């Protein structure tokens, strides 16, 4: 099957994202097309530069990865994403979740961060460090389980890692109390918390 070209990808994913953001605030609504173009550019750069090698044989990227980034963007809700920076945080998170999570090499992760920084600068006149300034320039995990008791919990960044650890420890203790369940003595260190999220 012939791989779609950039204009076809932009039409497919741009239409999906534009329909999603149609009801959002005026600051967020016009971001659909630039986010789609930036995502396609990141995907093309990753496919061209990060080729599989014997030590990185899992570096196989295709349009499914591009679709997963857009699918992650579709989890934004109008109530909780009402600013440009919040949507850009989600976009960077999804790109890192889909692409950087495969990378074990710190240089490759830094390369991806530079790619994201270039796209943020050229398409949105901001930078990676400005977008994640509130998080210490680190991409936080996004989850739907931090707001307990909410009918439709939002897909949002974890703003307090201590609260996340406390919640997951509580859930681990609840699991141990279930009939037939055995106690799991897990240490929830930072990477374990990110992996769960």
């Amino acid at each position: 099957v012939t791989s779609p070209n950039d204009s076809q990808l932009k039409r497919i994913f741009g239409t999906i994202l534009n329909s999603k953001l149609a009801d959002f605030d005026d600051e967020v609504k016009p971001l659909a097309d630039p986010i789609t173009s930036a995502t396609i550019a990141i995907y093309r750069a990753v496919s061209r530069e990060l080729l599989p090698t014997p030590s990185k044989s899992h570096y196989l990227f295709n349009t499914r990865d591009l679709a997963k980034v857009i699918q992650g963007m579709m989890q934004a809700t109008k109530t909780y994403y009402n600013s440009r920076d919040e949507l850009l945080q989600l976009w960077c998170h999804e790109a890192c979740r889909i692409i950087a999570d495969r990378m074990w090499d710190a240089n490759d992760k830094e390369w991806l961060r530079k790619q994201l920084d270039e796209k943020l600068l050229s398409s949105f006149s901001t930078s990676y460090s400005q977008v994640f300034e509130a998080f210490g320039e680190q991409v936080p995990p996004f989850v739907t389980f931090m707001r307990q008791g909410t009918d439709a919990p939002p897909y949002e960044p974890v703003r307090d890692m201590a609260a996340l650890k406390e919640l997951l420890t509580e859930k681990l203790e609840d699991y141990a109390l279930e009939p037939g369940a055995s106690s799991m003595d897990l240490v929830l260190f930072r990477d374990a918390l990110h992996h769960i999220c």
Side-chain angles (χ1 to χ4, degrees):
V1 176
T2 306
S3 182
N5 62 34
D6 287 0
S7 64
Q8 291 168 325
L9 291 173
K10 188 183 284 188
R11 183 171 180 207
I12 293 166
F13 295 113
T15 303
I16 293 168
L17 202 52
N18 269 305
S19 67
K20 172 67 179 178
L21 300 181
D23 295 336
F24 281 61
D25 289 348
D26 290 340
E27 186 179 352
V28 175
K29 198 183 302 186
L31 296 177
D33 287 332
I35 284 177
T36 303
S37 297
T39 306
I40 293 168
I42 293 281
Y43 160 68
R44 291 292 187 204
V46 166
S47 300
R48 183 176 56 251
E49 300 292 326
L50 301 180
L51 298 171
T53 64
S55 63
K56 301 173 186 176
S57 58
H58 58 286
Y59 278 23
L60 297 168
F61 300 97
N62 56 39
T63 51
R64 184 178 295 133
D65 300 307
L66 174 60
K68 285 180 185 175
V69 174
I70 299 300
Q71 185 178 13
M73 296 297 300
M74 299 297 285
Q75 295 185 72
T77 50
K78 185 170 70 169
T79 311
Y80 296 98
Y81 290 87
N82 54 11
S83 78
R84 183 184 76 140
D85 281 355
E86 289 172 343
L87 199 70
L88 292 178
Q89 287 169 2
L90 176 62
W91 176 67
C92 288
H93 170 266
E94 292 305 309
C96 289
R97 186 178 69 82
I98 302 303
I99 299 168
D101 275 4
R102 291 191 203 172
M103 300 175 179
W104 56 263
D105 188 347
N107 292 330
D108 290 346
K109 288 185 178 191
E110 186 57 31
W111 177 86
L112 180 63
R113 180 182 166 151
K114 286 179 182 172
Q115 293 294 316
L116 290 169
D117 196 39
E118 286 174 17
K119 292 297 164 228
L120 287 168
L121 194 60
S122 64
S123 301
F124 308 101
S125 303
T126 188
S127 69
Y128 190 91
S129 57
Q130 287 175 315
V131 169
F132 291 106
E133 188 175 14
F135 298 99
E137 298 184 27
Q138 296 294 318
V139 178
F142 278 59
V143 298
T144 57
F145 55 78
M146 286 302 288
R147 294 180 194 243
Q148 299 293 307
T150 308
D151 288 342
Y155 186 58
E156 62 183 342
V158 174
R159 300 186 186 282
D160 184 359
M161 291 302 281
L164 173 67
K165 186 174 183 177
E166 186 179 320
L167 176 69
L168 293 177
T169 303
E170 182 184 313
K171 294 297 180 189
L172 198 57
E173 290 167 359
D174 290 349
Y175 173 77
L177 296 174
E178 290 182 13
S182 59
S183 176
M184 290 191 291
D185 192 22
L186 298 177
V187 177
L188 296 174
F189 53 93
R190 184 179 166 274
D191 283 349
L193 293 173
H194 278 263
H195 183 70
I196 290 167
C197 293

